[in-house]
RNA sequence: GCGGGAGUAGCUCAGUGGUAGAGCAUCGCCUUGCCAAGGCGAGGGUCGCGAGUUCAAAUCUCGUCUCCCGCUCCA
């Protein structure tokens, strides 16, 4: 089974220390969340699993970590300054919301003279624009939403326009603008990829659904550079590859699906985009609304490398990018051709992956007395705690001492905890609820035979293992 | 921003004018103790905030703040 809804996960996450509402003691901050003791472990494990799969287990991959604040020009030429700023209007009658620049209306002569945003605002005031949904003419004036967070570099520079910078809305641009650096220092040849994990920021108009959509979030992005013409096949390969990564993490294929973005919805840089969606909203009645994006796999063509390059010119021979000092083209020694590589981009959200993993791992088990307990059947690679060392009787100093010693001997190898604050049943249950795959129990017998009981989270089966063989026993099973 | 919903213990929630509660969770002690066992005990809330009405407000009135859901966007 998996979680019936996100609310169930919100409660569990708060109760057990995965995720807390941010700034809670000051009344909270809209849809910002903090990761607690187990949450940070889970996030780190997700990122580590991604990096291993994406970088270490391949032959064609490098990594970078670019800064969050870039030269503003990066966002000018990436297209984000233009496209990440949408004027929005609301219909007061049916409460629908639209992008003002997409509303259909006939401008008057006078309005033709005005900049588009002002013309639209004027037409709305004069009630000449109809709501595309209900036909009402009662629309609010357009309000601009700049999806990029702005700030300023330098002290006391608030009023100096040249100090304006943005917090990055995606990590990808940090890879593109370093393309030449990575290419020359790594001596790579096409095709190859550059991976990056890091925070991104979008001033979302409507964040929400727990950690699904937050204004500050963490991305795992990889830009895979290919020869034009090879892009379509390699794109498809990555789609399959990424889907398998999620199922490999234990997410049920039933809760995953591929979604082909319609042409008219594609981002300004994309030729084709396929999303991997997860069933984040199983409680919704309409099938189609149960799904939302977990990972996007885009064919960005040569848009990014070309737009950041100094060489491309328009029809009149004028440089399209007079600010760039570098040409990001690639020279193929074999064919003696110079060109701008195409880019295939698998981009996933750490937080969304964490949410999907939590939802998918959630299960309940009811005992004879009708009491229900929660078991998080996380993939062992992702579990915040790998092993809990528990004394069967805590009033026997020898048993306690042995359990603590075992915990200490394991901790260089894996994340282990010791717990004696309850009966054994309660201790097991507590570990089940945070997804600890193995509990190691020390009992009276252990004092004589140097062996302990290893109890499996999913099967509840117990196995007697020599203490000397415990590290090997656990590490083979943790690889899952 | 518009519309809707909600703020009482860590979690889930009861309490509609008269001394703030329950279950679970947490902590401690006791019990040779393998699936939330039992016993005893403890901690924890100025009922989102402010004002008003009243002898008396978690409860009624007004204001305000915050959060959640939807609309937009996308990882």
């Amino acid at each position: 089974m998996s979680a019936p809804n996100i609310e169930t996960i919100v409660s569990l996450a708060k109760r057990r220390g995965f995720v807390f509402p941010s700034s809670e003691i000051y009344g909270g901050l809209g849809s910002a969340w903090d990761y607690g003791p187990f949450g940070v472990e889970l996030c780190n494990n997700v990122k580590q699993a991604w990096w291993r799969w994406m970088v270490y287990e391949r032959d064609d991959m490098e990594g970078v970590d670019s800064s969050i604040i870039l030269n503003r020009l990066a966002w000018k030429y990436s297209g984000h300054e233009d496209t990440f700023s949408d004027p929005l209007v609301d219909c007061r009658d049916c409460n629908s919301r639209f992008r003002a620049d997409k509303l259909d209306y006939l401008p008057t002569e006078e309005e033709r003279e005005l900049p588009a945003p002002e013309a639209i605002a004027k037409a709305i005031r004069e009630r000449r624009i109809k709501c595309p949904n209900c036909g009402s003419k009662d629309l609010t004036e357009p309000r601009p939403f700049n999806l990029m967070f702005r700030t300023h570099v330098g002290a006391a520079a608030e009023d100096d326009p040249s100090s304006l910078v943005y917090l990055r809305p995606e990590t990808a641009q940090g890879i593109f603008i370093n393309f030449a650096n990575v290419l020359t220092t790594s001596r790579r040849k096409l095709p190859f990829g550059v991976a990056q994990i890091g925070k991104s920021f979008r001033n979302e108009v409507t964040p929400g659904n727990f950690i699904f959509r937050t204004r500050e979030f963490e991305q795992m992005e990889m830009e895979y550079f290919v020869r034009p013409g090879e892009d379509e096949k390699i794109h498809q390969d990555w789609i399959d590859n990424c889907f398998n990564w999620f199922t490999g993490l234990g997410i049920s294929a039933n809760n995953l699906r591929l979604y082909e973005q319609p042409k008219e919805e594609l981002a300004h840089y994309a030729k084709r985009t396929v999303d991997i969606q997860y069933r984040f909203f199983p409680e919704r009645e309409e099938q189609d609304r149960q799904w939302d994006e977990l990972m996007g796999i885009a064919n960005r063509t040569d848009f990014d490398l070309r737009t950041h390059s100094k060489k491309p010119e328009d029809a009149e021979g004028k440089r399209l990018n007079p600010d760039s000092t570098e040409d990001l083209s690639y020279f193929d020694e074999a064919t003696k051709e110079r060109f701008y590589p195409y880019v295939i981009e698998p981009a996933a959200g750490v937080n969304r992956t964490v949410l999907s993993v939590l939802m998918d791992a959630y299960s309940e088990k009811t005992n004879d007395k009708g009491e229900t307990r929660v078991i998080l059947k996380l993939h062992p690679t992702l579990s915040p705690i790998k092993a809990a060392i528990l004394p069967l009787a805590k009033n026997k100093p020898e048993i306690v001492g042995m359990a603590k010693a075992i915990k200490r001997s394991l901790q260089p190898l894996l994340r282990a905890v010791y717990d004696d604050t309850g009966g054994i049943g309660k201790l097991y249950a507590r570990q089940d609820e945070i997804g600890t795959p193995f509990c190691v129990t020390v009992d009276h017998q252990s004092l004589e035979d140097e062996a302990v009981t290893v109890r499996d989270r999913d099967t509840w089966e117990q196995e007697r293992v020599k203490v000397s063989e415990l590290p090997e026993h656990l590490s083979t099973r943790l690889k899952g």
Side-chain angles (χ1 to χ4, degrees):
Chain A
M1 72 178 281
S2 53
N5 51 50
I6 289 184
E7 282 312 304
T8 307
I9 301 299
V10 176
S11 292
L12 174 66
K14 173 91 189 278
R15 183 157 40 91
R16 290 274 87 136
F18 283 90
V19 184
F20 310 122
S22 182
S23 312
E24 198 177 13
I25 66 167
Y26 287 114
L29 173 66
S31 94
W33 301 89
D34 296 340
Y35 291 82
F38 300 129
V40 65
E41 300 290 346
L42 181 53
C43 283
N44 285 343
N45 292 344
V46 163
K47 288 186 275 188
Q48 198 177 68
W50 185 88
W51 195 263
R52 280 190 174 286
W53 163 73
M54 186 60 92
V55 182
Y56 296 170
E57 293 173 5
R58 298 181 60 99
D59 304 313
D60 54 356
M61 208 59 71
E62 304 287 345
V64 296
D65 186 7
S66 67
S67 72
I68 287 173
I69 298 172
L70 304 178
N71 188 307
R72 183 184 169 189
L73 293 168
W75 304 112
K76 175 180 175 183
Y77 289 101
S78 72
H80 286 83
E81 272 198 341
D82 293 332
T83 60
F84 258 53
S85 165
D86 300 334
L88 300 181
V89 299
D90 295 305
C91 171
R92 291 197 176 93
D93 284 326
C94 69
N95 298 318
S96 314
R97 170 176 283 173
F98 309 96
R99 280 175 55 171
D101 53 326
K102 288 198 171 172
L103 289 171
D104 197 26
Y105 78 110
L106 268 181
T108 61
E109 292 252 339
E110 187 191 349
E111 283 163 7
R112 270 187 241 278
E113 308 286 313
L114 297 169
E118 289 174 37
I120 294 169
K122 186 163 179 286
I124 286 174
R125 270 198 303 277
E126 292 166 4
R127 301 194 163 226
R128 289 189 298 102
I129 298 184
K130 266 196 276 188
C131 167
N133 185 41
C134 71
S136 161
K137 290 185 175 177
D138 193 5
L139 303 177
T140 62
E141 289 212 17
R143 284 160 296 107
F145 279 94
N146 194 322
L147 276 303
M148 286 195 289
F149 279 94
R150 298 154 162 251
T151 187
H152 296 267
V153 287
E158 293 279 315
D159 51 351
D160 177 0
S162 70
S163 73
L164 173 65
V165 290
Y166 303 104
L167 304 187
R168 68 182 175 202
E170 63 172 21
T171 60
Q173 296 305 323
I175 296 178
F176 298 134
I177 62 179
N178 276 302
F179 177 70
N181 288 334
V182 175
L183 184 65
T184 55
T185 55
S186 68
R187 306 174 310 282
R188 286 285 181 184
K189 296 208 171 17
L190 295 186
F192 73 98
V194 181
Q196 174 164 222
I197 297 177
K199 290 272 178 98
S200 289
F201 304 82
R202 293 180 193 172
N203 211 348
E204 300 284 353
V205 184
T206 308
N209 288 317
F210 191 40
I211 55 174
F212 178 78
R213 180 176 292 114
T214 50
R215 295 190 169 101
E216 171 181 346
F217 61 106
E218 193 156 29
Q219 293 185 300
M220 302 181 286
E221 293 196 297
M222 190 281 288
E223 310 300 328
Y224 197 71
F225 301 98
V226 304
R227 290 182 179 79
E230 294 179 340
D231 55 309
E232 294 186 12
K233 177 182 184 307
I234 292 178
H235 187 195
Q236 188 57 49
D237 290 344
W238 273 109
I239 293 166
D240 302 337
N241 195 0
C242 291
F243 193 94
N244 292 336
W245 183 65
F246 287 110
T247 56
L249 285 183
I251 297 181
S252 163
N254 293 332
N255 289 328
L256 291 168
R257 74 172 188 184
L258 294 175
Y259 171 79
E260 180 90 30
Q261 285 192 9
K263 288 271 179 288
E264 59 273 19
E265 285 179 19
L266 290 176
H268 63 281
Y269 50 74
K271 172 176 166 187
R272 179 186 177 217
T273 299
V274 173
D275 294 337
I276 295 175
Q277 298 186 327
Y278 181 77
R279 198 195 299 267
F280 284 108
F281 310 100
E283 77 281 10
R284 291 180 179 170
E285 279 185 24
E286 297 162 65
Q287 272 288 321
D288 215 48
R289 294 188 58 243
Q290 297 182 352
W291 304 82
D292 215 327
E293 183 180 352
L294 178 58
M295 186 173 203
I297 304 143
N299 183 342
R300 295 181 74 128
T301 71
D302 59 357
F303 174 88
D304 298 282
L305 291 182
R306 188 180 280 279
T307 194
H308 288 302
S309 290
K310 67 176 182 179
K311 282 195 176 163
E313 298 174 342
D314 64 14
E316 291 152 21
K318 214 173 129 192
R319 281 173 64 187
L320 290 169
N321 185 336
D323 294 308
S324 172
T325 63
E326 184 72 44
D327 186 61
L328 303 179
S329 61
Y330 177 85
F331 184 73
D332 189 331
E333 291 287 353
T335 63
K336 305 298 180 195
E337 285 177 300
R338 181 169 287 282
F339 56 89
Y340 294 101
Y342 268 44
V343 175
I344 306 301
E345 176 197 78
V350 173
N351 321 275
R352 284 184 185 183
T353 303
V354 164
L355 179 57
S356 66
V357 154
L358 282 173
M359 290 187 73
D360 222 75
Y362 184 92
S363 72
E364 291 177 352
K365 181 164 183 164
T366 306
N367 69 9
D368 302 341
K369 288 184 257 175
E371 296 163 333
T372 297
R373 66 200 281 169
V374 172
I375 304 177
L376 271 190
K377 298 194 170 181
L378 292 169
H379 190 287
T381 300
L382 302 179
S383 295
I385 307 297
K386 308 302 185 192
I389 320 304
L390 314 170
L392 190 62
K394 73 166 172 177
N395 57 349
K396 286 283 176 292
E398 301 86 350
I399 292 179
V400 167
M402 185 173 175
K404 287 181 174 170
I406 291 173
K407 189 267 177 185
R408 273 193 298 273
S409 73
L410 288 174
Q411 62 193 12
L413 190 69
L414 47 83
R415 176 76 168 135
V417 295
Y418 167 87
D419 190 6
D420 64 11
T421 58
I424 192 67
K426 184 185 240 180
L427 297 180
Y428 283 152
R430 209 180 258 163
Q431 295 300 327
D432 285 346
E433 204 170 23
I434 60 168
T436 304
F438 299 108
C439 289
V440 175
T441 304
V442 180
D443 55 26
H444 301 87
Q445 185 76 33
S446 305
L447 299 174
E448 289 156 28
D449 64 2
E450 283 288 316
V452 289
T453 304
V454 176
R455 175 264 197 188
D456 182 277
R457 175 194 69 199
D458 299 334
T459 63
W460 286 21
E461 280 169 9
Q462 302 186 352
E463 207 175 333
R464 201 71 183 167
V465 178
K466 285 282 179 193
V467 175
S468 56
E469 292 162 13
L470 198 53
E472 176 66 21
H473 181 94
L474 291 176
S475 47
T476 38
R477 281 158 184 76
L478 284 169
K479 284 176 189 141

